[in-house]
Amino acid sequence: APAVGLPPSIFGLHESHLWAFLLAKVGVVTLGQGVYLVMVTSVALIAVGVTLVAQGWQQVYAGRGTLVMTGLYRHVRHPQYLGLVLIAVGFNIQWPTLPTLLMAPVLIVAYVWQARREDDELEARLGQDAGWYRRRVNAFLPWPRPLLALYGNPIPPSQRGEVWPREGEAPAVLPALAGEERVRSHRR
């Protein structure tokens, strides 16, 4: 309250929602509408985040050591991290504090870094299908779709009987990128 020039005693149930109070203060909405907007938005983000974490975990657990490319993982490679980010954003909308506002970007950067590390580990452990999947499906947002997803072969290389060249060998066009190469040559 002192940060916005008000005595703490004026804050009751509705006024304690910082974003609602700020929206009302600048005249965008009334305080009641602001509280409703803040609560609906934050609860929706938190609910979607919890759902992504739970369903993502269930799918990974059911896959037990295999590369999961179906369900949520058909649309994004890291739905669980996306869910955790949505939860953090939802809580910062609902009940922002200085520590949570400062830590949210740090947390988001940590999740992005961890996701990249996991992608590298999966590719090293599972090989060509993990690389194909990485180029075909975005890490966190299902849009915009990569060109390979739109024009490439929808079947993973191992299911097509294709094998990446041995280390040091480089084909003219990698099998998984053939569709992308076709798009590039078409634009010339």
Side-chain angles (χ1 to χ4, degrees):
V4 290
L6 299 170
S9 60
I10 72 156
F11 284 98
L13 177 62
H14 296 297
E15 294 86 357
S16 60
H17 291 285
L18 176 64
W19 302 118
F21 180 78
L22 291 175
L23 288 171
K25 186 81 168 166
V26 297
V28 176
V29 293
T30 66
L31 183 59
Q33 291 169 332
V35 169
Y36 181 78
L37 179 65
V38 164
M39 293 305 292
V40 167
T41 302
S42 63
V43 168
L45 288 172
I46 293 167
V48 169
V50 168
T51 301
L52 288 172
V53 170
Q55 286 186 352
W57 180 85
Q58 182 183 28
Q59 290 173 355
V60 167
Y61 183 76
R64 290 196 182 104
T66 63
L67 181 61
V68 179
M69 296 184 287
T70 58
L72 292 173
Y73 290 87
R74 180 174 177 244
H75 305 286
V76 291
R77 292 193 317 268
H78 300 284
Q80 292 177 306
Y81 292 141
L82 174 59
L84 291 169
V85 167
L86 291 177
I87 291 168
V89 169
F91 276 119
N92 273 305
I93 290 172
Q94 187 178 90
W95 211 261
T97 64
L98 187 58
T100 59
L101 289 172
L102 293 175
M103 285 305 298
V106 173
L107 184 67
I108 292 168
V109 168
Y111 287 141
V112 170
W113 178 81
Q114 179 65 19
R116 287 183 179 162
R117 199 175 114 221
E118 287 178 8
D119 283 341
D120 292 340
E121 289 174 6
L122 273 175
E123 199 163 351
R125 195 177 78 202
L126 300 175
Q128 65 187 8
D129 283 352
W132 173 86
Y133 176 65
R134 187 178 193 171
R135 287 184 301 279
R136 185 171 182 77
V137 178
N138 288 333
F140 299 103
L141 299 176
W143 63 88
R145 300 293 295 184
L147 282 179
L148 185 59
L150 298 174
Y151 299 104
N153 194 324
I155 302 169
S158 66
Q159 292 178 17
R160 294 190 310 254
E162 298 175 3
V163 179
W164 287 105
R166 291 187 184 92
E167 193 169 318
E169 295 177 343
V173 177
L174 295 175
L177 296 177
E180 188 174 286
E181 183 63 29
R182 199 171 51 240
V183 170
R184 267 193 244 127
S185 64
H186 178 69
R187 290 184 181 163
R188 291 181 192 155

